[in-house]
Amino acid sequence: MTWLEDEPFRGGYPTIEFLALTGVERMRAAAKGLMPRPPIHHLFGLTPQSASVASSVFSMPASPWLQSGAGVFLAGTAALVADAPLGSAILGPLGPGQVVVTSDLTLNYLRPTSTRSQRLTGRARPIEVGRRLGLAEAVIEDGAGEVVAHATTRCFIREFPVPEKTELPPIEERQYDTPDPYLRELTTSLIPREAWAEKSFVEICELTNSGELPTPPFSKLFGITDTSAKEGYFESTAPSSPWFTSPAGTIYGGFLAYFADAVLTGAMNTVLPPNSIPAALDLKVNFLRPVMPDGRPITATATVVHRGRTLLLAEGQITNADGKVVVKASSSATVITGHSWSAAVIDETPAPDA
Protein backbone atom coordinates (compact mmCIF):
# COMPACT_ATOMS: atom_id res chain seq x y z
CA MET A 1 0.00 0.00 0.00
CA THR A 2 1.17 3.53 -0.75
CA TRP A 3 0.15 6.81 0.82
CA LEU A 4 -1.73 7.53 -2.44
CA GLU A 5 -4.07 4.69 -1.55
CA ASP A 6 -4.23 5.43 2.17
CA GLU A 7 -4.72 9.22 2.15
CA PRO A 8 -7.85 10.85 0.65
CA PHE A 9 -7.11 13.00 -2.38
CA ARG A 10 -7.31 16.77 -2.09
CA GLY A 11 -9.00 19.29 -4.35
CA GLY A 12 -12.10 19.23 -6.49
CA TYR A 13 -13.57 19.74 -9.95
CA PRO A 14 -15.55 22.51 -11.66
CA THR A 15 -19.31 22.07 -11.80
CA ILE A 16 -21.29 21.95 -15.03
CA GLU A 17 -22.16 25.64 -14.68
CA PHE A 18 -18.63 26.50 -15.78
CA LEU A 19 -19.42 25.16 -19.27
CA ALA A 20 -21.61 28.24 -19.77
CA LEU A 21 -18.39 30.29 -19.86
CA THR A 22 -16.20 30.71 -22.91
CA GLY A 23 -12.87 28.91 -22.94
CA VAL A 24 -10.85 31.96 -21.95
CA GLU A 25 -13.34 32.80 -19.20
CA ARG A 26 -12.86 29.32 -17.72
CA MET A 27 -9.08 29.67 -17.94
CA ARG A 28 -9.14 33.06 -16.23
CA ALA A 29 -11.43 31.74 -13.51
CA ALA A 30 -8.92 28.97 -12.82
CA ALA A 31 -5.99 31.42 -12.78
CA LYS A 32 -7.84 33.69 -10.32
CA GLY A 33 -8.73 30.82 -8.00
CA LEU A 34 -12.44 31.04 -8.85
CA MET A 35 -12.51 27.38 -9.88
CA PRO A 36 -11.73 24.42 -7.58
CA ARG A 37 -8.06 23.43 -7.55
CA PRO A 38 -7.75 19.92 -9.04
CA PRO A 39 -5.92 17.09 -7.23
CA ILE A 40 -2.82 17.45 -9.44
CA HIS A 41 -2.37 20.95 -8.01
CA HIS A 42 -2.14 19.52 -4.51
CA LEU A 43 0.03 16.56 -5.55
CA PHE A 44 2.86 18.33 -7.34
CA GLY A 45 1.98 22.02 -7.28
CA LEU A 46 0.88 22.69 -10.87
CA THR A 47 -0.80 26.12 -10.91
CA PRO A 48 -2.28 28.34 -13.67
CA GLN A 49 -0.62 31.75 -13.82
CA SER A 50 -2.29 33.66 -16.65
CA ALA A 51 -4.62 33.13 -19.60
CA SER A 52 -5.79 34.87 -22.78
CA VAL A 53 -7.06 33.83 -26.21
CA ALA A 54 -3.44 33.97 -27.39
CA SER A 55 -1.54 32.28 -24.56
CA SER A 56 -1.66 30.18 -21.41
CA VAL A 57 0.92 29.92 -18.62
CA PHE A 58 1.23 27.28 -15.87
CA SER A 59 4.06 26.67 -13.43
CA MET A 60 5.12 24.30 -10.67
CA PRO A 61 7.94 24.26 -8.13
CA ALA A 62 10.98 22.04 -8.69
CA SER A 63 10.11 19.94 -5.66
CA PRO A 64 12.68 17.51 -4.19
CA TRP A 65 9.96 14.86 -4.53
CA LEU A 66 10.47 14.92 -8.31
CA GLN A 67 14.05 13.66 -8.00
CA SER A 68 15.18 10.33 -9.35
CA GLY A 69 17.43 8.17 -7.21
CA ALA A 70 20.38 10.13 -8.59
CA GLY A 71 19.01 13.52 -7.55
CA VAL A 72 18.01 14.71 -11.03
CA PHE A 73 14.57 14.98 -12.63
CA LEU A 74 13.38 12.57 -15.29
CA ALA A 75 13.16 14.31 -18.66
CA GLY A 76 9.43 13.60 -18.67
CA THR A 77 9.01 16.04 -15.78
CA ALA A 78 8.57 18.65 -18.51
CA ALA A 79 5.35 16.86 -19.51
CA LEU A 80 3.87 17.48 -16.06
CA VAL A 81 4.02 21.22 -16.65
CA ALA A 82 3.51 21.27 -20.46
CA ASP A 83 0.24 19.38 -20.94
CA ALA A 84 -1.98 21.82 -19.02
CA PRO A 85 -0.99 25.08 -20.78
CA LEU A 86 -1.00 23.35 -24.18
CA GLY A 87 -4.59 22.20 -23.76
CA SER A 88 -5.57 25.54 -22.26
CA ALA A 89 -4.05 27.40 -25.22
CA ILE A 90 -6.45 25.56 -27.53
CA LEU A 91 -9.33 26.04 -25.10
CA GLY A 92 -8.84 29.82 -25.02
CA PRO A 93 -10.47 30.67 -28.38
CA LEU A 94 -13.37 28.23 -27.87
CA GLY A 95 -16.94 29.09 -26.93
CA PRO A 96 -19.34 27.88 -24.23
CA GLY A 97 -19.84 24.12 -24.05
CA GLN A 98 -16.64 23.33 -25.94
CA VAL A 99 -13.83 21.29 -24.35
CA VAL A 100 -10.53 19.85 -25.55
CA VAL A 101 -9.31 16.25 -25.41
CA THR A 102 -5.57 15.69 -25.86
CA SER A 103 -4.69 13.37 -28.74
CA ASP A 104 -0.89 13.50 -28.61
CA LEU A 105 2.02 15.24 -26.92
CA THR A 106 5.58 15.67 -28.23
CA LEU A 107 8.53 17.06 -26.30
CA ASN A 108 12.06 17.90 -27.44
CA TYR A 109 14.51 18.32 -24.59
CA LEU A 110 17.17 21.03 -24.51
CA ARG A 111 18.51 21.04 -20.93
CA PRO A 112 18.27 18.78 -17.88
CA THR A 113 16.34 19.86 -14.80
CA SER A 114 16.71 19.32 -11.05
CA THR A 115 15.86 21.08 -7.80
CA ARG A 116 18.34 23.75 -8.95
CA SER A 117 15.75 24.72 -11.58
CA GLN A 118 13.68 26.20 -8.71
CA ARG A 119 10.49 26.45 -10.77
CA LEU A 120 9.35 25.08 -14.12
CA THR A 121 7.02 27.21 -16.23
CA GLY A 122 5.11 26.23 -19.37
CA ARG A 123 4.20 29.04 -21.78
CA ALA A 124 1.87 27.90 -24.55
CA ARG A 125 0.19 29.48 -27.56
CA PRO A 126 -2.34 28.15 -30.06
CA ILE A 127 -1.06 27.48 -33.57
CA GLU A 128 -4.41 26.68 -35.19
CA VAL A 129 -7.83 26.08 -33.67
CA GLY A 130 -10.50 24.69 -35.97
CA ARG A 131 -13.93 23.16 -35.52
CA ARG A 132 -12.70 19.69 -34.60
CA LEU A 133 -8.93 19.95 -34.04
CA GLY A 134 -6.50 22.32 -32.41
CA LEU A 135 -2.70 22.58 -32.45
CA ALA A 136 -0.56 24.35 -29.86
CA GLU A 137 3.08 24.70 -28.87
CA ALA A 138 4.86 25.58 -25.65
CA VAL A 139 8.27 26.28 -24.21
CA ILE A 140 9.15 25.05 -20.73
CA GLU A 141 11.52 27.29 -18.79
CA ASP A 142 13.40 26.91 -15.54
CA GLY A 143 13.60 29.51 -12.78
CA ALA A 144 16.41 31.36 -14.56
CA GLY A 145 14.34 31.72 -17.74
CA GLU A 146 16.35 29.11 -19.65
CA VAL A 147 14.31 27.00 -22.08
CA VAL A 148 14.58 23.36 -21.03
CA ALA A 149 12.10 21.83 -23.49
CA HIS A 150 9.82 22.56 -26.44
CA ALA A 151 6.43 20.88 -26.68
CA THR A 152 3.58 20.52 -29.15
CA THR A 153 0.15 18.96 -28.92
CA ARG A 154 -2.90 18.12 -31.01
CA CYS A 155 -6.30 18.11 -29.33
CA PHE A 156 -9.78 17.09 -30.40
CA ILE A 157 -12.54 19.62 -29.77
CA ARG A 158 -15.77 18.28 -28.29
CA GLU A 159 -19.09 20.05 -27.72
CA PHE A 160 -21.54 19.57 -24.86
CA PRO A 161 -24.95 21.12 -24.21
CA VAL A 162 -24.52 24.59 -22.78
CA PRO A 163 -26.18 24.97 -19.38
CA GLU A 164 -28.22 28.03 -18.65
CA LYS A 165 -25.93 30.73 -17.42
CA THR A 166 -26.42 30.87 -13.68
CA GLU A 167 -24.47 32.24 -10.79
CA LEU A 168 -21.27 30.25 -10.42
CA PRO A 169 -21.08 28.37 -7.12
CA PRO A 170 -18.82 29.92 -4.47
CA ILE A 171 -15.45 28.28 -4.03
CA GLU A 172 -14.51 27.19 -0.53
CA GLU A 173 -10.95 25.91 -0.42
CA ARG A 174 -10.62 23.28 2.28
CA GLN A 175 -7.83 23.73 4.81
CA TYR A 176 -5.68 20.69 5.59
CA ASP A 177 -3.73 19.78 8.71
CA THR A 178 -0.66 18.71 6.73
CA PRO A 179 1.19 20.27 3.76
CA ASP A 180 0.38 19.15 0.24
CA PRO A 181 2.52 16.15 -0.80
CA TYR A 182 5.09 18.09 -2.87
CA LEU A 183 5.76 20.40 0.11
CA ARG A 184 6.44 17.66 2.64
CA GLU A 185 9.80 16.54 3.97
CA LEU A 186 11.34 13.68 2.00
CA THR A 187 10.85 10.27 3.57
CA THR A 188 13.51 8.64 1.41
CA SER A 189 17.07 9.41 0.32
CA LEU A 190 19.12 9.36 -2.87
CA ILE A 191 21.13 6.40 -4.11
CA PRO A 192 24.87 6.89 -3.42
CA ARG A 193 26.94 8.02 -6.39
CA GLU A 194 29.30 5.09 -5.93
CA ALA A 195 26.45 2.69 -6.72
CA TRP A 196 25.70 4.44 -10.03
CA ALA A 197 29.37 4.37 -10.99
CA GLU A 198 29.95 0.71 -10.10
CA LYS A 199 26.69 -1.13 -10.71
CA SER A 200 24.46 -1.65 -13.74
CA PHE A 201 20.96 -0.20 -13.77
CA VAL A 202 19.45 -3.69 -13.53
CA GLU A 203 21.50 -4.30 -10.38
CA ILE A 204 20.39 -0.94 -8.97
CA CYS A 205 16.74 -1.92 -9.55
CA GLU A 206 17.24 -5.28 -7.83
CA LEU A 207 18.84 -3.64 -4.80
CA THR A 208 16.08 -1.02 -4.64
CA ASN A 209 13.33 -3.63 -4.79
CA SER A 210 15.03 -5.64 -2.04
CA GLY A 211 15.28 -2.58 0.20
CA GLU A 212 19.09 -2.48 0.15
CA LEU A 213 18.97 0.86 -1.68
CA PRO A 214 16.40 3.64 -1.09
CA THR A 215 13.29 4.12 -3.22
CA PRO A 216 13.63 7.20 -5.49
CA PRO A 217 11.60 10.23 -4.35
CA PHE A 218 9.52 10.38 -7.56
CA SER A 219 8.51 6.73 -7.09
CA LYS A 220 7.33 7.52 -3.57
CA LEU A 221 5.40 10.61 -4.68
CA PHE A 222 3.58 8.88 -7.53
CA GLY A 223 3.37 5.36 -6.11
CA ILE A 224 5.36 3.93 -9.03
CA THR A 225 6.73 0.42 -8.49
CA ASP A 226 9.30 -1.18 -10.79
CA THR A 227 8.24 -4.76 -11.44
CA SER A 228 10.72 -5.97 -14.08
CA ALA A 229 14.12 -4.85 -15.32
CA LYS A 230 16.18 -6.91 -17.75
CA GLU A 231 18.36 -6.11 -20.71
CA GLY A 232 16.32 -4.11 -23.20
CA TYR A 233 13.07 -4.21 -21.20
CA PHE A 234 11.55 -2.32 -18.28
CA GLU A 235 8.16 -2.46 -16.57
CA SER A 236 6.47 -0.43 -13.82
CA THR A 237 3.04 -0.11 -12.25
CA ALA A 238 1.21 2.82 -10.67
CA PRO A 239 -2.26 3.23 -9.17
CA SER A 240 -4.87 5.07 -11.22
CA SER A 241 -5.31 7.30 -8.19
CA PRO A 242 -7.73 10.26 -7.95
CA TRP A 243 -4.63 12.24 -6.93
CA PHE A 244 -3.64 12.19 -10.64
CA THR A 245 -6.85 13.77 -11.92
CA SER A 246 -7.12 17.01 -13.88
CA PRO A 247 -10.16 19.34 -13.82
CA ALA A 248 -11.77 16.98 -16.35
CA GLY A 249 -11.92 14.26 -13.68
CA THR A 250 -9.75 11.78 -15.61
CA ILE A 251 -6.06 10.92 -15.11
CA TYR A 252 -4.00 13.92 -16.23
CA GLY A 253 -2.32 13.37 -19.59
CA GLY A 254 0.85 15.00 -18.30
CA PHE A 255 1.18 12.28 -15.66
CA LEU A 256 0.60 9.50 -18.20
CA ALA A 257 3.33 11.00 -20.39
CA TYR A 258 5.61 11.22 -17.35
CA PHE A 259 4.92 7.58 -16.46
CA ALA A 260 5.62 6.50 -20.04
CA ASP A 261 8.88 8.45 -20.05
CA ALA A 262 9.94 6.79 -16.78
CA VAL A 263 9.79 3.28 -18.28
CA LEU A 264 11.27 4.36 -21.63
CA THR A 265 14.24 5.84 -19.77
CA GLY A 266 14.44 2.74 -17.60
CA ALA A 267 14.55 0.45 -20.64
CA MET A 268 17.39 2.46 -22.18
CA ASN A 269 19.33 2.31 -18.92
CA THR A 270 19.17 -1.49 -18.93
CA VAL A 271 21.38 -1.77 -22.03
CA LEU A 272 24.13 0.53 -20.77
CA PRO A 273 27.13 -0.43 -18.62
CA PRO A 274 27.91 1.33 -15.34
CA ASN A 275 29.23 4.87 -15.69
CA SER A 276 27.12 5.54 -18.80
CA ILE A 277 23.84 7.45 -19.13
CA PRO A 278 21.13 8.07 -21.77
CA ALA A 279 20.67 11.83 -22.22
CA ALA A 280 17.05 12.25 -23.35
CA LEU A 281 16.40 13.91 -26.72
CA ASP A 282 12.64 13.61 -27.19
CA LEU A 283 9.36 11.98 -26.17
CA LYS A 284 6.31 11.24 -28.33
CA VAL A 285 3.04 10.18 -26.68
CA ASN A 286 -0.29 9.19 -28.24
CA PHE A 287 -3.32 9.05 -25.93
CA LEU A 288 -5.70 6.34 -27.11
CA ARG A 289 -8.41 6.35 -24.44
CA PRO A 290 -9.04 8.11 -21.12
CA VAL A 291 -7.95 6.57 -17.83
CA MET A 292 -10.45 6.76 -15.01
CA PRO A 293 -9.30 7.29 -11.41
CA ASP A 294 -10.69 4.00 -10.11
CA GLY A 295 -7.60 3.14 -8.05
CA ARG A 296 -6.79 0.02 -10.06
CA PRO A 297 -3.21 -0.41 -11.29
CA ILE A 298 -1.98 0.76 -14.67
CA THR A 299 1.10 -0.87 -16.17
CA ALA A 300 3.79 0.76 -18.30
CA THR A 301 6.24 -1.30 -20.35
CA ALA A 302 9.08 -0.30 -22.67
CA THR A 303 11.52 -2.05 -24.99
CA VAL A 304 14.73 -0.80 -26.60
CA VAL A 305 14.31 -1.05 -30.38
CA HIS A 306 17.67 0.42 -31.42
CA ARG A 307 20.97 0.35 -29.58
CA GLY A 308 23.66 2.25 -31.45
CA ARG A 309 27.02 3.55 -30.32
CA THR A 310 25.62 7.00 -29.59
CA LEU A 311 21.84 6.72 -30.09
CA LEU A 312 19.14 4.74 -28.30
CA LEU A 313 15.50 4.35 -29.35
CA ALA A 314 12.75 2.85 -27.19
CA GLU A 315 9.05 2.19 -27.59
CA GLY A 316 6.46 1.58 -24.90
CA GLN A 317 2.85 1.59 -23.84
CA ILE A 318 0.57 1.89 -20.85
CA THR A 319 -2.29 -0.55 -20.29
CA ASN A 320 -5.17 -0.24 -17.85
CA ALA A 321 -6.35 -2.90 -15.41
CA ASP A 322 -8.60 -4.38 -18.12
CA GLY A 323 -5.60 -4.95 -20.39
CA LYS A 324 -6.54 -2.18 -22.84
CA VAL A 325 -3.76 -0.01 -24.22
CA VAL A 326 -4.35 3.60 -23.19
CA VAL A 327 -1.04 5.18 -24.26
CA LYS A 328 1.58 4.50 -26.94
CA ALA A 329 4.94 6.23 -26.58
CA SER A 330 8.46 6.40 -27.99
CA SER A 331 11.64 8.28 -27.12
CA SER A 332 15.27 8.66 -28.10
CA ALA A 333 18.44 9.49 -26.20
CA THR A 334 22.10 10.00 -26.88
CA VAL A 335 24.61 7.90 -24.95
CA ILE A 336 27.09 9.67 -22.71
CA THR A 337 29.90 7.43 -21.51
CA GLY A 338 32.30 8.07 -18.67
CA HIS A 339 29.62 9.66 -16.49
CA SER A 340 27.44 8.11 -13.80
CA TRP A 341 24.02 9.34 -12.78
CA SER A 342 24.57 12.17 -10.32
CA ALA A 343 23.12 15.63 -9.90
CA ALA A 344 26.52 17.27 -10.34
CA VAL A 345 27.33 15.44 -13.56
CA ILE A 346 23.91 15.87 -15.17
CA ASP A 347 23.62 19.57 -14.34
CA GLU A 348 27.08 20.23 -15.76
CA THR A 349 26.67 18.12 -18.89
CA PRO A 350 25.71 20.27 -21.90
CA ALA A 351 22.65 19.21 -23.80
CA PRO A 352 23.53 17.30 -26.99
CA ASP A 353 22.73 18.81 -30.36
CA ALA A 354 19.50 17.19 -31.46
Side-chain angles (χ1 to χ4, degrees), residues 84-316:
L86 284 167
S88 295
I90 295 172
L91 178 64
L94 300 184
Q98 293 183 301
V99 300
V100 297
V101 179
T102 305
S103 168
D104 58 64
L105 176 64
T106 299
L107 292 111
N108 285 282
Y109 304 116
L110 303 175
R111 292 176 177 83
T113 56
S114 70
T115 54
R116 300 179 189 181
S117 302
Q118 299 182 323
R119 178 167 288 273
L120 297 177
T121 300
R123 304 181 187 277
R125 71 175 186 90
I127 297 174
E128 180 72 22
V129 179
R131 293 179 56 195
R132 296 182 177 86
L133 287 175
L135 300 177
E137 68 172 349
V139 292
I140 296 85
E141 301 172 349
D142 63 15
E146 294 277 2
V147 177
V148 300
H150 176 265
T152 58
T153 195
R154 175 178 58 200
C155 293
F156 294 113
I157 298 170
R158 301 283 188 254
E159 294 198 23
F160 291 89
V162 179
E164 292 185 11
K165 205 159 188 177
T166 60
E167 193 73 24
L168 296 179
I171 302 302
E172 295 183 7
E173 288 287 350
R174 179 180 171 184
Q175 300 299 311
Y176 299 95
D177 296 332
T178 58
D180 283 338
Y182 72 96
L183 294 171
R184 298 176 187 177
E185 293 291 328
L186 289 180
T187 58
T188 187
S189 57
L190 304 181
I191 295 172
R193 294 184 182 182
E194 304 77 50
W196 293 111
E198 299 169 0
K199 299 184 182 300
S200 70
F201 182 71
V202 172
E203 291 174 316
I204 292 287
C205 292
E206 292 172 348
L207 293 171
T208 298
N209 287 335
S210 69
E212 296 177 65
L213 287 176
T215 301
F218 82 88
S219 294
K220 284 270 192 179
L221 178 67
F222 295 120
I224 295 174
T225 302
D226 299 336
T227 56
S228 180
K230 56 187 178 182
E231 186 172 359
Y233 178 83
F234 196 70
E235 179 179 314
S236 296
T237 62
S240 53
S241 169
W243 279 97
F244 300 145
T245 49
S246 70
T250 56
I251 302 298
Y252 177 50
F255 169 73
L256 294 175
Y258 178 90
F259 188 28
D261 175 79
V263 295
L264 289 163
T265 301
M268 288 189 275
N269 272 302
T270 65
V271 300
L272 297 179
N275 221 31
S276 298
I277 59 174
L281 296 174
D282 55 43
L283 172 68
K284 170 71 174 180
V285 180
N286 288 96
F287 302 100
L288 308 183
R289 48 175 57 88
V291 180
M292 304 308 297
D294 56 16
R296 297 190 297 166
I298 54 177
T299 301
T301 59
T303 303
V304 174
V305 295
H306 174 75
R307 178 185 179 182
R309 186 174 61 86
T310 59
L311 184 67
L312 291 169
L313 301 178
E315 295 178 350

